[in-house]
Amino acid sequence: MRVPVIVDHAPSPSPPPSPARRPTPPWEAGPRIAAVRCALPPHRYAQHELTGPIGDLCLSPGADRALLHRVHASAGVRTRHLALPIEQYAGLGDFGQSNNAWIEAGLALGEEALSGALREAGLAPADVDLLVFASITGVAAPSLDARLAGRMGLRPDVKRLPLFGLGCVAGAAGLARVHDHLRGHPDDTAVLLTVELCSLTLQRGDGSRANLVAGALFGDGAAALVARGGNTDGGGSSSSSSVTVAPSAGPRVVATRSHLYPGTEQLLGWEIGADGFRVVIDAGVPDIVRGHFGRQLRAFLAEHELTVDDIGTWICHPGGPRILSAVSETLGLSEDALDASRRSLAAVGNMSSVSVLHILEGIRARRTPESGTWGLLLAMGPGFCSELVLLRW
């Protein structure tokens, strides 16, 4: 038998190497923020107008009100918006009534914020592929995002992600999760909707320092942010709208970072009981910021070959004057670096997850940062945790 001979042919010559292509920087390919819109309840009060009524709600007749007046005077708040007229809070008999008020007012404000943001972005409700919803001031099943979907005409196949428990950090964390989705789905449009009606969690008959601080600091509102994947800038999208985002519409999200601080679970959050949400605010939060937050933030920036001095726009959650001072001190910021946060705190109070979006809306309305400059959106919340979102205009 003749054995067949197997001939190894010489490989074809390799084509000459093509010129090296410059890798696309992450800020040129990442999702872009197309619009931000806040909605505030119509019931607006000066801080001094609320001190007496809140004292009546929280303190027993004849109780010393010295602490109440001190915290209201030092909160850094000039005006706030409430979900209900202040005189109606005494009539909320239990948690169920407060939560029903959260659902009713939350739906109205959420619809106003979401429709406004979509209109600003030049999009229709049917263009939304992902809706992330965050709130820590009420509960509902179906959640508010599900109720709004049919009410506003979102597609039946819209992806939804309702978030609870993140508190003040949810505005930043929600944007980070939007970024994660759009990096994997660059043709999509995603919306972050936050609704926080903090006044409805105020505990009547509770004269604790934490409750009085909450009654002096927190306000109500909603906000919606529209972001679009990297492929939508130049060639349309897979949705029903042919509108694309103009290059100057808003910053791109470059990177995000989450961080939990072990052993700090007791510093911030809720104690949930028959009366609803009883606030936990520990005086040690600024010490955590001074001791640990700066190191985490600098390490995050260093991964992107940046330093604190490279950040031109700071969007910092206004947890309160002491938190803003702690952030400024630990990072060595200039006196005016956190002015946008202080303006938001003075105008509307601390609106929990809504606040960073309110600050971002204000920055876009006052003066769009120069193209090519860096921004950092940051917040802290229950966990104790922090969230960082690196932006580039």
Side-chain angles (χ1 to χ4, degrees):
M1 176 184 292
R2 188 174 178 181
V3 178
V5 177
I6 300 174
V7 178
D8 290 330
H9 296 284
S12 302
S14 300
S18 58
R21 295 182 61 186
R22 180 181 68 87
T24 303
W27 56 83
E28 292 185 9
R32 187 185 292 280
I33 296 173
V36 185
R37 186 62 61 90
C38 291
L40 302 172
H43 315 294
R44 180 174 180 266
Y45 297 91
Q47 180 80 325
H48 68 85
E49 295 177 297
L50 295 175
T51 304
I54 288 177
D56 295 339
L57 289 170
C58 299
L59 301 175
S60 58
D64 184 5
R65 298 198 173 196
L67 176 59
L68 171 76
H69 287 281
R70 284 201 303 273
V71 296
H72 273 249
S74 62
V77 178
R78 290 198 304 268
T79 55
R80 281 182 284 166
H81 295 251
L82 304 186
L84 305 175
I86 185 61
E87 60 271 13
Q88 291 186 16
Y89 284 82
L92 296 173
D94 56 24
F95 172 61
Q97 291 182 10
S98 297
N99 199 66
N100 287 339
W102 174 82
I103 293 173
E104 183 178 353
L107 284 171
L109 288 172
E111 182 174 9
E112 181 183 345
L114 180 52
S115 61
L118 289 172
R119 186 166 55 249
E120 180 184 335
L123 299 172
D127 292 313
V128 178
D129 301 294
L130 171 71
L131 175 58
V132 178
F133 171 70
S135 181
I136 200 173
T137 52
V139 291
S143 52
L144 296 196
D145 52 290
R147 301 177 191 217
L148 285 172
R151 179 164 161 168
M152 294 188 62
L154 275 69
R155 300 196 315 269
D157 67 343
V158 64
K159 300 178 180 71
R160 296 184 301 109
L161 183 61
L163 304 174
F164 180 87
L166 288 170
C168 295
V169 82
L175 177 55
R177 302 294 77 80
V178 162
H179 162 268
D180 295 344
H181 174 85
L182 292 178
R183 289 289 290 182
H185 301 81
D187 296 315
D188 278 8
T189 294
V191 172
L192 168 63
L193 174 65
T194 64
V195 175
E196 302 290 12
L197 306 183
C198 307
S199 67
L200 293 171
T201 69
L202 189 68
Q203 293 294 299
R204 292 171 292 282
D206 177 6
S208 67
R209 182 181 181 86
N211 196 50
L212 294 182
V213 168
L217 190 61
F218 287 97
D220 298 344
L225 178 148
V226 178
R228 308 201 73 196
N231 287 355
T232 63
D233 274 1
S237 69
S238 58
S239 64
S240 62
S241 172
S242 62
V243 177
T244 58
V245 179
S248 61
R252 289 194 186 275
V253 180
V254 178
T256 71
R257 174 61 50 82
S258 306
H259 192 82
L260 279 166
Y261 300 85
T264 61
E265 296 89 348
Q266 76 287 352
L267 292 183
L268 195 64
W270 294 130
E271 290 179 356
I272 302 176
D275 295 327
F277 302 127
R278 187 177 299 273
V279 70
V280 176
I281 305 176
D282 193 279
V285 170
D287 295 332
I288 295 294
V289 175
R290 290 188 177 92
H292 304 281
F293 179 67
R295 183 172 66 253
Q296 299 294 335
L297 186 148
R298 288 187 175 91
F300 171 65
L301 292 180
E303 293 177 10
H304 302 278
E305 300 181 350
L306 298 171
T307 69
V308 168
D309 292 337
D310 292 314
I311 304 301
T313 302
W314 293 89
I315 304 162
C316 177
H317 174 73
R322 293 183 64 213
I323 297 297
L324 291 176
S325 294
V327 171
S328 183
E329 291 168 13
T330 195
L331 298 178
L333 300 180
S334 63
E335 283 189 16
D336 61 349
L338 301 183
D339 277 358
S341 297
R342 293 189 176 92
R343 283 194 299 269
S344 175
L345 180 64
V348 294
N350 178 345
M351 296 190 293
S352 191
S353 65
V354 176
S355 283
V356 289
L357 304 184
H358 182 262
I359 296 166
L360 179 58
E361 180 189 44
I363 287 172
R364 285 161 56 89
R366 288 171 65 91
R367 176 187 56 83
T368 301
E370 293 183 13
S371 178
T373 60
W374 295 94
L376 192 66
L377 185 148
L378 59 105
M380 290 154 276
F384 183 74
C385 67
S386 62
E387 197 84 27
L388 307 174
V389 180
L390 183 62
L391 305 173
R392 186 176 173 95
W393 266 268

